[in-house]
Amino acid sequence: MTINEFNFAGKKAIVRVDFNVPLDENGKITDDTRIRGALPTLKKVLADGGALIIMSHMGKPKGKVNPKFSLGQIKDAVAEALGAPVTFAPDCAKAQEQAAALKMGEVLLLENLRFYPEEEGKPVGIEKDDPKYDEAKKAMKASQKEFAKTLASYADCYVMDAFGTAHRKHASTAVIADYFDADHKMLGLLMEKEVNAVDNILKNIKRPFTAIMGGSKVSTKIGIIENLLGKVDNLILCGGMTYTFAKAQGGEIGNSIVEMDKLDVALDVIKKAKENGVNLVLGTDCIAADKFANDANTQVCPANAIPEGWEGLDAGPETRKEFAKAIESAKTILWNGPAGVFEFDNFIGGSKAIADAIAKATADGAFSLIGGGDSVACINKFGMADQVSYISTGGGALLEAIEGKVLPGVASIKGE
C-alpha cells in the first residue's frame, strides 16, 4: 500500500517521524529541517479527515526519562508548523486513554520513545561478554514486541516516515509493522522520496558519477568508500580523513587528526581506486592552524608537510580547484561530510567550494544528493538548499542504503 492510495478518513494513523531536531540551551529549535520534511505526510492524514498520532525519539537518553530530551519542548513548534493544535502524551507507553479520546482532525504527540529501553531493544546494565547477556537479550526482544504492540494499539494504520532511523530495527521503526496488515502500513511521503533518491544514485547513474566523502574518520566511512569504489568515476575524500591518507603515504601532518590504526586501510583504498580506474581526489594542500579555534593563526601548506604544532582544519586553494574540477563535470553527485571544520567561519572555504561546484553542476543538469547531518548543515548555512537536487534527512540510514544494506524500516513495510 502506498500513502497516496490510502484514504485516512475516519482512521487514526500512528506516524513515526524523525523529530530529533537540534535545540539550543533554552530548548528552542535551531534547525527545523526534519519537521518541515515530515509535513506533507502529516498534513495528508489530516486533509483526508483522519486523526494523527506522532511518535519520535530525541537524542540518546539511554532508556531513561531525561527532561533535556523531552519532545514536550517542541510541541508548540510542531503545532505551528502543522497549523493545528497538538496535545501531548507525557508517557508514550501509557497513552491509551488519550489515543482513544482522539477525534478526527486532532493531533497527539507522544513523549520520547527512547525513554523506554524497549524502543531500541538492547539489554540495559549488562555487557556483551557477560554469560547472561544472551538471556537478557532474548528477554528484551520479547519486551520490545510488547512495547511495539502497545504503540500499535493506539491506531488503525501505521506510517513509517523517519528515514533517519530506518536502518535501526527499533520498536517504532520496524517491529510495530508486524501488528498491521499490508493494507494498513505504508511508507510516508518523505520516506518514498528518500528511497527514490537512493535508487536514483545507485540504479540510474548518469556518468560521470562523483562522490564526496568528508568527516574526521576513515573508520566510520570505510564500508561506503569500498562500496563506492565499484560505482563512481571520481571519489573525493576530504575533511579529517585527509591526514590519515597523507600519513599513510609517508607525509608529515603535525598535530592533525589521524587514525594510526587505519594507515593500511588508507593505502588499500588508494590501491583499489587504481585497480577500479577511479579518479581518487585527495587534498594536496590545506589551511593549517596553530590551535583548534576560529581565531587561530593560519597558513597554507602541503597536506603532507604540515609543521609540528600545526593542524589541518580546511582544504587549501589548490585542493578546492581539484574538487571543483571533479564535481563540475559530473552528472551524478553524492556529498556526505564537510571538507573542514565548517562550524568555525574561518574554516568553511573548502566546504563552500564543494557546495558552489555542486550547485553549478546541478544547474547544468546533474542529479545531486546531499546527505548526513554535517553536509545538510553546510548547505543550510550557505543558504543553498534550493540549488541541489535532493537533501536527505538520514545520515547513517543513507550511508547504509548506499552501502547496499537492507533497511529494516523499509523492509518491514515492503515485506522484503
Side-chain angles (χ1 to χ4, degrees):
M1 173 64 64
T2 69
I3 189 167
N4 282 322
E5 293 167 342
F6 195 85
N7 185 354
F8 291 95
K11 300 274 195 300
K12 289 177 186 174
I14 188 160
V15 185
R16 176 53 156 107
V17 295
D18 182 5
F19 282 178
N20 184 25
V21 293
L23 304 175
D24 65 17
E25 61 278 5
N26 300 313
K28 297 287 179 222
I29 298 168
T30 56
D31 183 349
D32 67 348
T33 304
R34 287 173 170 166
I35 292 176
R36 284 185 285 110
L39 288 179
T41 291
L42 301 179
K43 287 184 172 179
K44 159 100 168 77
V45 175
L46 296 177
D48 279 3
L52 189 55
I53 300 164
I54 302 171
M55 58 178 175
S56 178
H57 75 281
M58 180 178 278
K60 294 180 179 177
K62 298 182 178 173
K64 292 177 182 168
V65 174
N66 184 338
K68 185 179 152 193
F69 299 119
S70 173
L71 286 170
Q73 299 171 93
I74 68 167
K75 179 179 84 78
D76 292 344
V78 172
E80 192 179 339
L82 263 180
V86 174
T87 52
F88 184 64
D91 188 329
C92 64
K94 293 175 183 169
Q96 290 88 342
E97 285 184 19
Q98 283 174 282
L102 205 62
K103 295 183 175 66
M104 295 305 119
E106 293 183 341
V107 185
L108 177 66
L109 173 65
L110 304 183
E111 180 56 288
N112 193 339
L113 297 158
R114 288 190 186 170
F115 283 177
Y116 280 85
E118 289 85 352
E119 164 63 2
E120 296 187 61
K122 291 176 190 166
V124 178
I126 185 166
E127 299 301 321
K128 283 188 177 178
D129 55 3
D130 191 303
K132 292 184 178 175
Y133 180 80
D134 287 344
E135 195 182 314
K137 188 178 176 184
K138 193 176 173 184
M140 178 53 85
K141 287 297 174 193
S143 298
Q144 186 184 46
K145 284 184 179 177
E146 283 304 310
F147 181 64
K149 189 177 179 181
T150 297
L151 296 172
S153 72
Y154 301 158
D156 306 302
C157 52
Y158 166 64
V159 184
M160 171 56 177
D161 210 28
F163 185 70
T165 58
H167 57 314
R168 305 280 183 231
K169 193 170 183 179
H170 289 173
S172 68
T173 61
V175 183
I176 187 175
D178 293 343
Y179 298 96
F180 295 91
D181 63 35
D183 291 333
H184 291 85
K185 59 183 174 184
M186 65 215 80
L187 298 179
L189 295 168
L190 178 62
M191 279 288 289
E192 283 186 350
K193 277 168 70 180
E194 296 276 6
V195 171
N196 290 339
V198 171
D199 283 349
N200 239 332
I201 282 283
L202 296 183
K203 296 174 185 171
N204 304 315
I205 299 171
K206 293 186 178 67
R207 299 197 178 276
F209 179 9
T210 295
I212 307 121
M213 290 285 122
S216 57
K217 294 181 176 179
V218 180
S219 54
T220 58
K221 299 283 170 81
I222 190 58
I224 188 167
I225 288 170
E226 288 179 341
N227 189 268
L228 287 170
L229 283 172
K231 295 182 169 70
V232 300
D233 301 291
N234 304 296
L235 179 59
I236 295 170
L237 298 181
C238 56
M241 283 192 280
T242 302
Y243 311 105
T244 296
F245 278 85
K247 186 73 176 173
Q249 296 175 90
E252 295 298 330
I253 58 168
N255 289 359
S256 303
I257 188 170
V258 64
E259 288 181 286
M260 293 302 290
D261 60 338
K262 293 291 179 282
L263 301 185
D264 288 348
V265 172
L267 291 174
D268 193 48
V269 167
I270 294 169
K271 180 169 164 272
K272 282 181 181 166
K274 205 168 281 182
E275 289 169 357
N276 288 13
V278 172
N279 173 34
L280 183 63
V281 185
L282 295 165
T284 54
D285 65 347
C286 69
I287 309 293
D290 63 353
K291 62 179 177 178
F292 189 80
N294 189 49
D295 62 353
N297 295 308
T298 62
Q299 62 172 307
V300 176
C301 58
N304 61 0
I306 300 171
E308 196 55 49
W310 292 71
E311 56 187 310
L313 295 189
D314 196 9
E318 289 307 312
T319 297
R320 294 174 198 180
K321 285 179 195 168
E322 289 301 310
F323 288 175
K325 201 163 120 187
I327 295 166
E328 287 173 10
S329 62
K331 288 298 170 201
T332 302
I333 302 163
L334 168 67
W335 183 22
N336 174 270
V341 188
F342 79 99
E343 296 89 345
F344 296 154
D345 287 346
N346 289 334
F347 298 96
I348 61 172
S351 300
K352 181 68 164 63
I354 288 172
D356 286 339
I358 292 174
K360 189 175 177 191
T362 307
D364 288 340
F367 177 81
S368 52
L369 171 58
I370 317 297
D374 285 345
S375 305
V376 176
C378 272
I379 281 287
N380 288 336
K381 184 171 184 170
F382 304 145
M384 297 173 68
D386 59 345
Q387 295 177 54
V388 299
S389 306
Y390 191 75
I391 294 177
S392 175
T393 55
L398 175 71
L399 296 188
E400 290 200 13
I402 290 168
E403 265 186 72
K405 293 180 180 176
V406 173
L407 303 181
V410 177
S412 65
I413 301 290
K414 292 189 167 184
E416 292 169 356

